[in-house]
Amino acid sequence: WDVFNSGTPAARNAPVAPGGAVIPSSLGAGSNGLLALIRSGEGSWNSVNRGTAGDSGPIPNLTSMTIGSVEQMQQRNKVFAVGAYQFTPGVLSLARREAGLSPSDQMSPENQNKMAMALIVGSKRPALAAYVTGKSNDLNAAHYDIAREWAALQAPSGRGMYDNDKAGNMASIPAAKVQAMLIQARQEYLSRGR
């Protein structure tokens, strides 16, 4: 089983991030791996909030909406963080573009996984992308980068980057688990011949 898609083979024509990293285009909802770890602390496929942790429930049909309509809801301040990876305004658009998706694509679980992978190996978090894609051996920098992206993940220090902020965040995923999954994710990415 692989950490990105739990056995689903990647498509041959996967999108390429601005830094040249290939973004796996076929990602599932596997129970083991980095994406599953992030989801376990961030939310469900239909999760939304308006800027404070736990301030609103899920939108039952978020996964059937287009990504563009969700981006519009964010622009109108109707929602803030959305989906299983709690994509915030601007980040959702960046992740969509780098994952090779269009505004008319659905906010499906598969596309949410693709966008999360775009954040991991794309341009937003250079230290994280460099480590996972084998361009750097700096696990500590990658760990800090991923903790900056997802509030549920503890940094190497054992604290979340956003613990006790005004939004009410508190990292719930232990640093040791995050680090182990980063190592596993790197091994899996490199074993794909990227």
Side-chain angles (χ1 to χ4, degrees), residues 9-27:
R12 296 270 182 241
N13 296 320
V16 177
V22 174
I23 299 170
S25 63
S26 178
L27 298 168

Side-chain angles (χ1 to χ4, degrees), residues 101-187:
L101 299 170
S102 76
S104 62
D105 286 318
Q106 283 189 312
M107 189 77 176
S108 66
E110 179 184 4
N111 287 340
Q112 288 185 47
N113 281 340
K114 288 178 185 179
M115 291 186 290
M117 276 306 305
L119 293 177
I120 292 168
V121 299
S123 67
K124 186 166 189 267
R125 300 288 177 193
L128 175 60
Y131 178 78
V132 171
T133 61
K135 294 177 182 168
S136 165
N137 292 321
D138 195 342
L139 175 59
N140 198 57
H143 192 161
Y144 272 108
D145 245 9
I146 200 167
R148 285 182 189 98
E149 191 61 45
W150 286 290
L153 306 180
Q154 289 181 354
S157 65
R159 293 185 35 84
M161 301 300 289
Y162 306 100
D163 283 0
N164 300 312
D165 65 0
K166 67 179 183 171
N169 287 302
M170 182 62 68
S172 60
I173 309 296
K177 277 189 176 181
V178 175
Q179 200 161 74
M181 280 298 141
L182 283 170
I183 292 167
Q184 189 177 347
R186 175 188 170 109
Q187 291 168 344

Side-chain angles (χ1 to χ4, degrees), residues 33-116:
L34 185 58
L35 295 179
L37 184 70
I38 296 166
R39 286 192 311 268
S40 74
E42 291 291 335
S44 71
W45 304 115
N46 291 307
S47 292
V48 299
N49 76 45
R50 291 180 176 84
T52 303
D55 69 358
S56 54
I59 295 178
N61 65 346
L62 184 70
T63 55
S64 63
M65 296 175 70
T66 66
I67 300 167
S69 61
V70 176
E71 289 171 339
Q72 289 174 0
M73 289 174 64
Q74 287 180 323
Q75 291 168 358
R76 293 192 307 263
N77 295 318
K78 296 204 179 276
V79 296
F80 184 70
V82 297
Y85 302 99
Q86 292 295 277
F87 300 104
T88 55
V91 173
L92 178 60
S93 298
L94 172 70
R96 173 187 50 75
R97 287 189 307 272
E98 290 198 3
L101 299 170
S102 76
S104 62
D105 286 318
Q106 283 189 312
M107 189 77 176
S108 66
E110 179 184 4
N111 287 340
Q112 288 185 47
N113 281 340
K114 288 178 185 179
M115 291 186 290

